[in-house]
Amino acid sequence: MRTSTLSADLPAHFSVRQSISVVGHEPEILSRIYDDPIKICILQRVLSTDVKQYVAYLRKEHVGFELAQPINVAHIRKRLNAWLPQHHALNAFIEDVNWLVEMFACLFDLESVGLRLNILTKTMCPRFHTDKVPCRLITTYAGKGTEWLDSNTIDRVMLAACNESKEKAEEFARQYPIQSLQEGDIALFKGERWGEQDDYGVIHRSPTLDRNETRLLLTLDFA
């Protein structure tokens, strides 16, 4: 078998781009977050009809809704039932959030998590950035998903330059195609405080929202 000489043939200022992401349809894919090269794990799924009904209700009747609380994993159902607007499909939504919380807590041996649930009406973080956390779970229940860059070769100088103007951002995007999470995707994003790594967390940003457009975003953090 012929051995590839691609790396050796490249000029010094070029580098082979290594993917930092893995995608799957089974929950076990999320455990790959502990693999050194991996910074993003994405579990793809289809939301149930009942969950979609509750999400649609929230977006229509509770625009601007925001919940941000540290929650003990053992009390998640009780707390959400008290905090969330009542609806016939509420239990289905609570069970879905509870499943996410239990997976996140199990992966990182947590007793409590920091939960944030927002109906966003504008772009929350329009600039590419990394999060100052060990790891964050992100899922968009409805609307556009978080945008991210699948590359290990981007440094802070390049990142700052691409955020200076729309023109530079577009030029940057041609070199590093922007990826997007889809509705229902469950993603783990490594942050800057992951272990003792010397490199940076996942570079990402919020999607641009048009007028009257909303998205329902859930994030989980270490409490």
Short mmCIF file of all heavy atoms in Angstrom, two decimals, residues 99-128:
data_model
loop_
_atom_site.label_atom_id
_atom_site.label_comp_id
_atom_site.label_asym_id
_atom_site.label_seq_id
_atom_site.Cartn_x
_atom_site.Cartn_y
_atom_site.Cartn_z
N TRP A 99 -33.80 14.23 30.43
CA TRP A 99 -32.90 13.29 29.76
C TRP A 99 -31.57 13.95 29.42
O TRP A 99 -30.50 13.37 29.64
CB TRP A 99 -33.58 12.75 28.50
CG TRP A 99 -32.77 11.82 27.68
CD1 TRP A 99 -32.21 10.63 28.08
CD2 TRP A 99 -32.39 11.98 26.30
NE1 TRP A 99 -31.52 10.04 27.03
CE2 TRP A 99 -31.63 10.85 25.93
CE3 TRP A 99 -32.67 12.96 25.35
CZ2 TRP A 99 -31.11 10.69 24.65
CZ3 TRP A 99 -32.15 12.80 24.07
CH2 TRP A 99 -31.37 11.68 23.74
N LEU A 100 -31.62 15.18 28.90
CA LEU A 100 -30.40 15.91 28.58
C LEU A 100 -29.57 16.18 29.83
O LEU A 100 -28.34 16.01 29.84
CB LEU A 100 -30.73 17.23 27.89
CG LEU A 100 -31.48 17.17 26.56
CD1 LEU A 100 -31.71 18.57 26.02
CD2 LEU A 100 -30.73 16.33 25.55
N VAL A 101 -30.25 16.62 30.89
CA VAL A 101 -29.55 16.94 32.14
C VAL A 101 -28.89 15.68 32.71
O VAL A 101 -27.73 15.72 33.15
CB VAL A 101 -30.53 17.54 33.16
CG1 VAL A 101 -29.89 17.62 34.55
CG2 VAL A 101 -30.98 18.93 32.72
N GLU A 102 -29.60 14.57 32.71
CA GLU A 102 -29.04 13.33 33.25
C GLU A 102 -27.83 12.86 32.44
O GLU A 102 -26.84 12.39 33.01
CB GLU A 102 -30.11 12.25 33.30
CG GLU A 102 -31.14 12.47 34.39
CD GLU A 102 -32.11 11.31 34.53
OE1 GLU A 102 -32.19 10.49 33.58
OE2 GLU A 102 -32.79 11.22 35.57
N MET A 103 -27.89 12.97 31.12
CA MET A 103 -26.74 12.59 30.29
C MET A 103 -25.54 13.48 30.59
O MET A 103 -24.41 12.98 30.75
CB MET A 103 -27.10 12.69 28.80
CG MET A 103 -27.91 11.55 28.27
SD MET A 103 -27.84 11.46 26.45
CE MET A 103 -28.54 13.06 26.00
N PHE A 104 -25.77 14.78 30.65
CA PHE A 104 -24.69 15.74 30.90
C PHE A 104 -24.07 15.49 32.27
O PHE A 104 -22.84 15.45 32.42
CB PHE A 104 -25.25 17.16 30.79
CG PHE A 104 -24.22 18.25 30.83
CD1 PHE A 104 -23.35 18.45 29.76
CD2 PHE A 104 -24.13 19.10 31.92
CE1 PHE A 104 -22.41 19.47 29.79
CE2 PHE A 104 -23.19 20.11 31.96
CZ PHE A 104 -22.33 20.30 30.89
N ALA A 105 -24.92 15.32 33.28
CA ALA A 105 -24.44 15.09 34.64
C ALA A 105 -23.68 13.77 34.75
O ALA A 105 -22.66 13.68 35.45
CB ALA A 105 -25.61 15.10 35.61
N CYS A 106 -24.15 12.74 34.06
CA CYS A 106 -23.49 11.44 34.09
C CYS A 106 -22.12 11.51 33.43
O CYS A 106 -21.14 10.95 33.94
CB CYS A 106 -24.37 10.40 33.40
SG CYS A 106 -23.67 8.73 33.39
N LEU A 107 -22.01 12.20 32.31
CA LEU A 107 -20.74 12.30 31.58
C LEU A 107 -19.66 12.96 32.42
O LEU A 107 -18.48 12.60 32.33
CB LEU A 107 -20.94 13.10 30.29
CG LEU A 107 -21.39 12.33 29.05
CD1 LEU A 107 -21.78 13.31 27.95
CD2 LEU A 107 -20.30 11.39 28.56
N PHE A 108 -20.05 13.96 33.23
CA PHE A 108 -19.06 14.75 33.96
C PHE A 108 -19.16 14.60 35.47
O PHE A 108 -18.56 15.39 36.20
CB PHE A 108 -19.18 16.22 33.54
CG PHE A 108 -18.99 16.43 32.07
CD1 PHE A 108 -20.05 16.80 31.26
CD2 PHE A 108 -17.75 16.24 31.48
CE1 PHE A 108 -19.88 16.99 29.89
CE2 PHE A 108 -17.57 16.42 30.12
CZ PHE A 108 -18.63 16.80 29.32
N ASP A 109 -19.96 13.62 35.93
CA ASP A 109 -20.08 13.33 37.36
C ASP A 109 -20.51 14.58 38.15
O ASP A 109 -19.86 15.00 39.11
CB ASP A 109 -18.76 12.78 37.90
CG ASP A 109 -18.92 12.13 39.27
OD1 ASP A 109 -20.04 11.72 39.61
OD2 ASP A 109 -17.91 12.03 40.00
N LEU A 110 -21.63 15.16 37.72
CA LEU A 110 -22.13 16.39 38.34
C LEU A 110 -23.39 16.11 39.16
O LEU A 110 -24.24 15.32 38.75
CB LEU A 110 -22.46 17.43 37.27
CG LEU A 110 -21.35 17.80 36.30
CD1 LEU A 110 -21.90 18.71 35.21
CD2 LEU A 110 -20.20 18.47 37.03
N GLU A 111 -23.53 16.77 40.30
CA GLU A 111 -24.76 16.69 41.09
C GLU A 111 -25.73 17.80 40.71
O GLU A 111 -26.95 17.66 40.86
CB GLU A 111 -24.45 16.76 42.58
CG GLU A 111 -23.69 15.56 43.11
CD GLU A 111 -23.49 15.62 44.61
OE1 GLU A 111 -23.91 16.64 45.22
OE2 GLU A 111 -22.94 14.66 45.17
N SER A 112 -25.20 18.91 40.21
CA SER A 112 -26.00 20.05 39.78
C SER A 112 -25.49 20.57 38.45
O SER A 112 -24.31 20.38 38.11
CB SER A 112 -25.97 21.18 40.82
OG SER A 112 -26.51 20.76 42.06
N VAL A 113 -26.36 21.21 37.69
CA VAL A 113 -25.98 21.82 36.42
C VAL A 113 -26.53 23.23 36.35
O VAL A 113 -27.50 23.57 37.02
CB VAL A 113 -26.50 21.00 35.21
CG1 VAL A 113 -25.97 19.58 35.26
CG2 VAL A 113 -28.02 21.02 35.17
N GLY A 114 -25.90 24.04 35.54
CA GLY A 114 -26.42 25.37 35.26
C GLY A 114 -27.27 25.32 34.01
O GLY A 114 -26.75 25.05 32.92
N LEU A 115 -28.56 25.52 34.16
CA LEU A 115 -29.50 25.40 33.04
C LEU A 115 -29.94 26.78 32.58
O LEU A 115 -30.31 27.63 33.39
CB LEU A 115 -30.72 24.58 33.46
CG LEU A 115 -31.79 24.32 32.39
CD1 LEU A 115 -32.44 22.94 32.62
CD2 LEU A 115 -32.88 25.40 32.38
N ARG A 116 -29.91 26.97 31.27
CA ARG A 116 -30.43 28.21 30.67
C ARG A 116 -31.34 27.84 29.51
O ARG A 116 -30.94 27.11 28.60
CB ARG A 116 -29.30 29.10 30.19
CG ARG A 116 -29.78 30.42 29.56
CD ARG A 116 -28.61 31.28 29.11
NE ARG A 116 -27.88 31.82 30.23
CZ ARG A 116 -28.18 32.97 30.85
NH1 ARG A 116 -29.21 33.69 30.42
NH2 ARG A 116 -27.45 33.40 31.84
N LEU A 117 -32.56 28.37 29.55
CA LEU A 117 -33.54 28.15 28.48
C LEU A 117 -34.06 29.51 28.05
O LEU A 117 -34.64 30.24 28.86
CB LEU A 117 -34.69 27.27 29.00
CG LEU A 117 -35.79 26.91 28.00
CD1 LEU A 117 -35.24 25.99 26.90
CD2 LEU A 117 -36.96 26.23 28.70
N ASN A 118 -33.83 29.86 26.79
CA ASN A 118 -34.19 31.19 26.29
C ASN A 118 -34.95 31.11 24.98
O ASN A 118 -34.63 30.30 24.12
CB ASN A 118 -32.92 32.02 26.00
CG ASN A 118 -32.08 32.28 27.21
OD1 ASN A 118 -31.41 31.40 27.69
ND2 ASN A 118 -32.11 33.51 27.69
N ILE A 119 -35.95 31.98 24.86
CA ILE A 119 -36.52 32.27 23.55
C ILE A 119 -35.84 33.54 23.06
O ILE A 119 -36.10 34.63 23.58
CB ILE A 119 -38.05 32.44 23.60
CG1 ILE A 119 -38.71 31.15 24.06
CG2 ILE A 119 -38.58 32.85 22.22
CD1 ILE A 119 -40.21 31.23 24.16
N LEU A 120 -34.97 33.41 22.10
CA LEU A 120 -34.18 34.53 21.61
C LEU A 120 -34.86 35.21 20.44
O LEU A 120 -35.32 34.55 19.51
CB LEU A 120 -32.79 34.04 21.20
CG LEU A 120 -32.00 33.34 22.31
CD1 LEU A 120 -30.74 32.70 21.75
CD2 LEU A 120 -31.64 34.33 23.41
N THR A 121 -34.89 36.54 20.50
CA THR A 121 -35.50 37.33 19.43
C THR A 121 -34.46 38.13 18.64
O THR A 121 -34.79 38.82 17.70
CB THR A 121 -36.54 38.30 20.01
OG1 THR A 121 -35.90 39.15 20.98
CG2 THR A 121 -37.67 37.54 20.71
N LYS A 122 -33.21 38.03 19.06
CA LYS A 122 -32.12 38.70 18.35
C LYS A 122 -30.86 37.86 18.48
O LYS A 122 -30.79 36.95 19.31
CB LYS A 122 -31.89 40.11 18.89
CG LYS A 122 -31.54 40.15 20.36
CD LYS A 122 -31.39 41.59 20.84
CE LYS A 122 -31.05 41.65 22.33
NZ LYS A 122 -30.90 43.06 22.80
N THR A 123 -29.87 38.18 17.68
CA THR A 123 -28.63 37.43 17.69
C THR A 123 -27.90 37.67 19.00
O THR A 123 -27.55 38.80 19.33
CB THR A 123 -27.73 37.85 16.51
OG1 THR A 123 -28.47 37.71 15.30
CG2 THR A 123 -26.48 37.00 16.45
N MET A 124 -27.68 36.60 19.77
CA MET A 124 -27.13 36.73 21.11
C MET A 124 -25.63 37.02 21.09
O MET A 124 -25.16 37.94 21.75
CB MET A 124 -27.41 35.45 21.91
CG MET A 124 -26.96 35.50 23.36
SD MET A 124 -27.58 34.09 24.33
CE MET A 124 -26.85 32.72 23.41
N CYS A 125 -24.86 36.23 20.35
CA CYS A 125 -23.39 36.40 20.27
C CYS A 125 -22.99 36.38 18.80
O CYS A 125 -22.65 35.32 18.25
CB CYS A 125 -22.68 35.29 21.02
SG CYS A 125 -23.09 35.19 22.78
N PRO A 126 -23.04 37.52 18.11
CA PRO A 126 -22.82 37.55 16.66
C PRO A 126 -21.38 37.31 16.24
O PRO A 126 -21.12 36.96 15.09
CB PRO A 126 -23.27 38.96 16.26
CG PRO A 126 -23.08 39.77 17.51
CD PRO A 126 -23.39 38.86 18.64
N ARG A 127 -20.41 37.50 17.13
CA ARG A 127 -19.00 37.34 16.79
C ARG A 127 -18.52 35.93 17.11
O ARG A 127 -18.96 35.32 18.08
CB ARG A 127 -18.15 38.36 17.54
CG ARG A 127 -18.39 39.79 17.12
CD ARG A 127 -17.54 40.74 17.94
NE ARG A 127 -17.71 42.13 17.53
CZ ARG A 127 -16.97 42.73 16.61
NH1 ARG A 127 -16.00 42.07 16.02
NH2 ARG A 127 -17.20 43.99 16.28
N PHE A 128 -17.60 35.43 16.30
CA PHE A 128 -16.98 34.15 16.62
C PHE A 128 -16.22 34.28 17.94
O PHE A 128 -15.52 35.26 18.17
CB PHE A 128 -16.03 33.73 15.50
CG PHE A 128 -16.73 33.14 14.30
CD1 PHE A 128 -16.70 33.79 13.07
CD2 PHE A 128 -17.41 31.94 14.41
CE1 PHE A 128 -17.34 33.25 11.97
CE2 PHE A 128 -18.05 31.39 13.31
CZ PHE A 128 -18.01 32.05 12.09
#
